[in-house]
Amino acid sequence: MSAMVDDDDISLPSDDELEEETTEVAEEEEVARDLSSTEVVTKYLEASRITNLALETLIPHIVAGAKILDLIKIGEALITKSLDKIYNKKVNGKPVLKGMAFPVCLSVNEKICNYTPLASEAPEDGLVAGDMVKIDLGCHIDGYIAVAAHTVCVSSQGTTPELPGPSAGTVCAAAHNAMLVAAATIKAGNTNAQVTTALDKVCEAYGVKCISNVRMHQMKHFVIDGPKEIALRAPNVDEGEERVETCTFEENEVYCVDIAMSTGEGKGREGTDRTTVYKRNVDQTYKLRMKASHYLLKAVTDNFPTMPFSLRMVSDERQAKMGVKECVDHNLLSAYPVFNERDGVFVAHYKCTVLLMPGGTRRVTGLGLPEYFTTDKVLDEENRKMLEEIREKEEKKRKKAEAKKKKKKKAAGK
């Protein structure tokens, strides 16, 4: 069982303190780029705070009638505005880079992930009560990345959502609990195979399947898809699924715990929706021929040199659409396709960021499971005990935070 570090163990500094720490770090000849540096930890925590805030702000707007593109703009505006408030002093004459680490995606019903439409192609119709919406987003500060995903059910404004079927509650409870189990299992000394085995038990207990082509990744400085991977389930080599090399987790590493589950076959397929999310392959070069391709590559190099982005974020959408194929064909850009399950299948997606601190694993992003996602399924004993320990710790943390808030309020009233 992994030791989960209390959120109060490391307090977030004020904006002034953040700027002072940034200046002090600039004076050092060598700067640690992992969690052994308190400055790096602080940046991860700040990015995580903003990522969670974006989810919390966006969720109340996901109601019947709301349009997907409008919701995406709300999330991205919140992240941009929050980042604008911190780390604004230059370091060695250069600004601290910060921004989206993953564009806001809203994937509805059978769509699993990566749906963030262009302005010219966004659905005109609003969401409908009972729709299952997967939110996926992230940001970074100085290349230190925090990502999260969350699943909600659309309700009429001011009402409790009515689930489209009991299986919807089951798959969401399964995916959320699987995220907690995986986060607790990712600790120094354990292997990725142990995480996959734990997830197999969750799927068996709930009668659902992990999406086979989703992977969890290590994250590093300016790298969202790091070298160490974790498979959600054992690959079926006969069907062309690639094996994941066994790896051991180490202290001071950071991981994205990415869980997608369905009540169907657990196979993500590319649908008819346009792929709009891409990432620059920084180690690849090619002499492009098309003017539109040159335009797109320059826009990416200037604005999204290392992180995933959406073509929607490029100023000239027409040029971006024209130039993207040549860039992808010559491996200058990697695509994040919109994956779908079969129609009528319920899909859940939850994601969090974990830091492998010296004192244990710390989950820094991700929200709690909405109360309306209920199920009569029961986890296996080992994972059930693990979840009980996690929830007990989180309850203690919540009470500690409330007591601290009351004490602070009382002191301010004197």
Side-chain angles (χ1 to χ4, degrees):
M1 171 64 194
S2 172
M4 302 299 285
V5 179
D6 196 309
D7 283 350
D8 293 329
D9 290 347
I10 304 177
S11 59
L12 292 175
S14 66
D15 290 353
D16 289 341
E17 289 172 332
L18 286 170
E19 303 296 358
E20 288 175 6
E21 289 179 6
T22 304
T23 304
E24 290 172 0
V25 169
E27 295 173 355
E28 299 178 9
E29 290 185 1
E30 295 185 3
V31 180
R33 296 296 186 186
D34 62 21
L35 300 178
S36 63
S37 164
T38 56
E39 169 67 7
V40 169
V41 173
T42 299
K43 288 174 180 175
Y44 273 119
L45 293 179
E46 280 293 285
S48 299
R49 177 183 63 81
I50 292 169
T51 295
N52 285 335
L53 179 61
L55 284 178
E56 292 167 350
T57 302
L58 191 53
I59 288 171
H61 295 278
I62 300 178
V63 295
K67 295 185 178 182
I68 288 177
L69 187 59
D70 292 341
L71 294 169
I72 287 171
K73 289 179 178 179
I74 290 172
E76 292 182 351
L78 186 282
I79 290 174
T80 300
K81 184 177 180 181
S82 298
L83 289 171
D84 284 345
K85 295 178 180 179
I86 56 176
Y87 287 100
N88 291 319
K89 289 185 179 180
K90 292 184 178 181
V91 179
N92 292 332
K94 297 180 180 179
V96 175
L97 297 178
K98 49 190 175 171
M100 302 293 300
F102 199 83
V104 176
C105 296
L106 293 181
S107 305
V108 183
N109 295 332
E110 71 277 2
K111 290 183 177 64
I112 300 168
C113 57
N114 302 336
Y115 183 68
T116 182
L118 299 176
S120 62
E121 299 174 355
E124 288 293 329
D125 296 334
L127 296 171
V128 176
D131 280 345
M132 299 287 286
V133 180
K134 282 76 67 179
I135 315 160
D136 195 359
L137 52 82
C139 71
H140 78 95
I141 297 173
D142 195 22
Y144 300 106
I145 302 163
V147 290
H150 194 70
T151 302
V152 296
C153 183
V154 176
S155 67
S156 299
Q157 200 155 9
T159 64
T160 301
E162 293 185 14
L163 301 187
S167 296
T170 296
V171 73
C172 287
H176 191 272
N177 287 339
M179 179 186 74
L180 299 180
V181 167
T185 308
I186 297 176
K187 60 180 179 179
N190 277 3
T191 67
N192 53 353
Q194 288 175 271
V195 179
T196 304
T197 298
L199 294 179
D200 285 342
K201 292 180 180 179
V202 175
C203 288
E204 184 178 353
Y206 285 98
V208 298
K209 290 187 177 180
C210 286
I211 305 296
S212 60
N213 49 342
V214 174
R215 295 281 189 272
M216 293 185 258
H217 286 269
Q218 179 187 14
M219 296 192 295
K220 305 179 78 172
H221 190 227
F222 283 110
V223 178
I224 196 167
D225 296 325
K228 295 184 179 181
E229 290 185 319
I230 307 164
L232 270 64
R233 71 187 202 195
N236 188 330
V237 180
D238 292 337
E239 294 187 5
E241 296 175 9
E242 295 183 8
R243 295 186 185 277
V244 173
E245 291 188 15
T246 301
C247 64
T248 302
F249 309 124
E250 299 176 44
E251 190 176 293
N252 294 326
E253 291 181 337
V254 178
Y255 286 87
C256 164
V257 178
D258 194 353
I259 305 293
M261 291 183 171
S262 84
T263 57
E265 297 175 343
K267 295 180 180 179
R269 304 169 176 83
E270 291 187 42
T272 58
D273 297 297
R274 180 192 295 274
T275 297
T276 68
V277 181
Y278 295 89
K279 179 172 67 69
R280 175 75 170 97
N281 295 325
V282 295
D283 58 341
Q284 298 294 318
T285 59
Y286 182 80
K287 192 173 181 179
L288 294 165
R289 297 181 179 182
M290 292 177 57
K291 183 179 178 180
S293 304
H294 280 285
Y295 167 81
L296 175 60
L297 189 62
K298 185 179 187 307
V300 171
T301 302
D302 291 345
N303 300 291
F304 323 104
T306 59
M307 302 293 173
F309 66 95
S310 171
L311 294 180
R312 174 178 42 78
M313 298 173 171
V314 179
S315 299
D316 192 328
E317 180 183 299
R318 179 174 172 274
Q319 292 266 70
K321 288 195 294 184
M322 289 175 59
V324 70
K325 185 179 185 303
E326 187 180 11
C327 291
V328 172
D329 286 347
H330 296 288
N331 203 30
L332 299 178
L333 297 177
S334 290
Y336 289 71
V338 181
F339 287 118
N340 296 265
E341 253 281 15
R342 293 181 292 103
D343 289 349
V345 167
F346 296 119
V347 177
H349 187 199
Y350 291 94
K351 181 190 293 184
C352 68
T353 302
V354 294
L355 312 181
L356 274 61
M357 303 290 290
T361 299
R362 179 173 183 183
R363 180 166 51 86
V364 291
T365 66
L367 306 183
L369 180 70
E371 293 182 354
Y372 49 79
F373 287 138
T374 60
T375 181
D376 58 0
K377 304 289 186 180
V378 180
L379 265 177
D380 62 281
E381 186 176 355
E382 182 182 354
N383 282 331
R384 188 168 67 251
K385 286 182 178 179
M386 183 184 292
L387 286 180
E388 287 173 357
E389 290 181 27
I390 292 171
R391 285 166 179 153
E392 284 176 7
K393 189 169 184 66
E394 289 182 344
E395 181 62 17
K396 288 180 182 178
K397 180 177 63 179
R398 185 188 65 78
K399 290 181 178 179
K400 185 177 179 180
E402 285 183 356
K404 188 176 180 180
K405 187 176 180 180
K406 288 180 181 179
K407 186 177 179 181
K408 188 175 180 180
K409 186 177 181 180
K410 186 177 180 180
K414 289 183 178 180

